[in-house]
Each structure stands twice: as C-alpha cells, then as structure tokens.
Amino acid sequence: MVGFLRLVGVLTVFGVGFSPFLLEQLWNDPSIIIQAWWYTPAIFAGFGLIFIPSILANIFGVGRVKSGLPAVGVIKSIQQTGTYINEQPEVRLDLTVSLKGREKYDTELRTIIPLTSMAQFQPGSFIPLVVSVKDERKVGLDLKGRLSQEDMQQLLDEKMVQHGVAPEMMDIARTGEKAMAKILDVTPLGSGGNGKIKLQLTLSVTKSNGETFKVTIPKEIYPSALPQVQQGHIINVIYSKQDPSKLVLALSVQEEQLSNLFSS
C-alpha cells in the first residue's frame, strides 16, 4: 500500500508540474493552470502521498507484519536507510528466513531499531520473526515472543535432518538416557558433508546408575566443535535405552553450527 501511494504521489507531482509546460506549447499561456485554485494543493498533495505514508508506517506500524507464523531469521547484512524516528534509525535487514515445513529463503525487512540495541542486529545474528500468512516475503520482528522454545527446537530438528542427521538419532536425543562419557580415542576419517569433519570416537560411557560401557562410533562434527572432542575430555551424551551403543553427543551449540543450519 505504501508503494502504491508513493507511485500515485509521483504521478500527481509529475502530471500537475508538467501541465504548464504542455499548455505553453499548445496555447502559449501556462498561467491557465498555474493560477487555477487546485494547482498548488495538488502539488502539495502529491508530495504528501510520496512522503507521509512511509512516515506514518514507521510511527504507527502501518503495513508492518504484527501477526503470523513464527520463524527464525539470520541477518545477512544491515544498512541504515537515513531515516530517523524519535532519533532512532530505520535500518534495512537482508535476511535468510527459516520457516517450519518450508525451504529457507531470502527477504528484506525495514524496521526501527533503538541505538542501544544495534549490537544485537549484526550480520550473522539470529532474530525471531513473524511471517505473513498471505505473503511469506513479508516479515516482522517477533516482539511478543510467538517463537517459543518448542518452535525453535522443531525448526532446529528439521534443519538437522535436512543436513543429514538421521531421524533415529534425533529420536534418541529426545527420548534417550543422559550420561557422561570419557573420550578414549579420536581418529580422523576425513571430510564429512556440509563442511563437517568425520571422526571415529572411542568412548567410555558412565550411566546414571554407575555402570560403564565402551563404544566406538563414527561421528560428524563442525570444525568449531572440534576443541570439545579431544582425547581425555569428558562430554555429555544421550544413549538409546534399547541399544546403548547408539548415542548422540550433547556438545555445546556453536554459532557456526547454527549459521550452517539456518543460513543459505
């Protein structure tokens, strides 16, 4: 709607402003238009249609997406537009959006960000979004916390499956038993998929009841997680109740991992 009103404003200013030149060519008397009672108001109305809608949109949120589907956005770039509302800058965010059940896609968001919050909106940062049900390219900041922890976990699970994590392993992570494991041996096996490193790990796992068992398994991890997986380290794991030899590593989530999962 803002874009349409701007277009009408531009056409109005151009049409009314050009009409005296047209009359000068036709009748040699541009004053017929210039002296008309509607000439000056029409010029001001045209400029109003160009500038006022965007100002109202920033002040009152006209045209902003306030409700919709919860999603996660990764900021690709941020640029100030030069517009300030109440001394706070308007910025244009280029985003990669992850929406449950859909492929990642890129879009743009213009919004006002307080200067005190600018550090939270940098390339690579994750922000909660709401996506318009009618047009997924239209997004807004999730200011009311619609993106719950459950939504975030479902999105994370979906992206991990898309990046090659077996659904069985995801099920173990949700329903398995937590335990501590000592890394007895680490053997590199080359490169894995999606920029990961493939390792063979030998672990001594201690169950909650004090029982221990030994297991050797192949795992793929991101390079940023490699310092956590060194011989002699103690890590958290989750193993299958039915088959303890099947387990997942409960490593600290690294920013690189999230970027690979949620970015293009």
Side-chain angles (χ1 to χ4, degrees), residues 41-257:
I43 291 289
F44 282 108
F47 280 111
L49 287 172
I50 293 173
F51 297 109
I52 292 177
S54 59
I55 294 174
L56 291 177
N58 285 318
I59 295 176
F60 299 108
V62 177
R64 291 184 182 177
V65 177
K66 298 179 181 179
S67 63
L69 304 173
V72 172
V74 180
I75 299 175
K76 298 173 61 179
S77 66
I78 179 171
Q79 182 178 359
Q80 293 194 24
T81 65
T83 299
Y84 285 79
I85 302 296
N86 296 327
E87 300 183 352
Q88 305 300 332
E90 180 191 57
V91 299
R92 186 187 70 214
L93 302 174
D94 291 319
L95 304 168
T96 296
V97 180
S98 291
L99 185 62
K100 184 181 177 182
R102 304 185 191 181
E103 293 294 326
K104 292 177 288 189
Y105 63 92
D106 295 334
T107 192
E108 177 187 297
L109 168 63
R110 288 175 178 260
T111 187
I112 301 297
I113 296 179
L115 289 171
T116 54
S117 301
M118 286 295 289
Q120 303 173 32
F121 292 84
Q122 298 300 320
S125 298
F126 294 83
I127 56 176
L129 301 172
V130 286
V131 178
S132 169
V133 176
K134 296 182 179 179
D135 184 356
E136 67 178 17
R137 297 289 169 183
K138 295 181 180 180
V139 301
L141 293 178
D142 180 15
L143 300 177
K144 296 184 178 180
R146 294 180 181 83
L147 184 67
S148 65
Q149 185 64 38
E150 182 181 356
D151 291 327
M152 185 64 183
Q153 187 61 55
Q154 289 176 352
L155 276 171
L156 182 60
D157 291 349
E158 183 178 274
K159 297 307 174 186
M160 291 182 71
V161 170
Q162 291 174 359
H163 278 66
V165 178
E168 181 187 19
M169 293 293 102
M170 298 301 302
D171 185 62
I172 292 174
R174 287 190 296 266
T175 64
E177 293 285 344
K178 296 180 180 180
M180 302 293 290
K182 182 176 182 178
I183 302 176
L184 303 178
D185 186 64
V186 181
T187 304
L189 299 178
S191 300
N194 298 304
K196 297 178 182 178
I197 299 173
K198 193 171 185 178
L199 304 173
Q200 179 175 282
L201 302 176
T202 300
L203 307 173
S204 176
V205 182
T206 302
K207 298 181 179 181
S208 57
N209 61 5
E211 296 180 5
T212 62
F213 64 92
K214 186 176 178 181
V215 62
T216 299
I217 53 171
K219 288 291 179 183
E220 292 185 1
I221 65 171
Y222 286 104
S224 59
L226 191 58
Q228 301 180 60
V229 188
Q230 297 295 315
Q231 186 173 354
H233 284 194
I234 305 296
I235 61 173
N236 294 307
V237 298
I238 305 173
Y239 63 88
S240 169
K241 299 175 183 178
Q242 291 74 33
D243 184 357
S245 65
K246 296 180 179 180
L247 55 80
V248 297
L249 310 182
L251 302 176
S252 300
V253 177
Q254 302 295 308
E255 186 173 347
E256 179 185 346
Q257 292 175 266

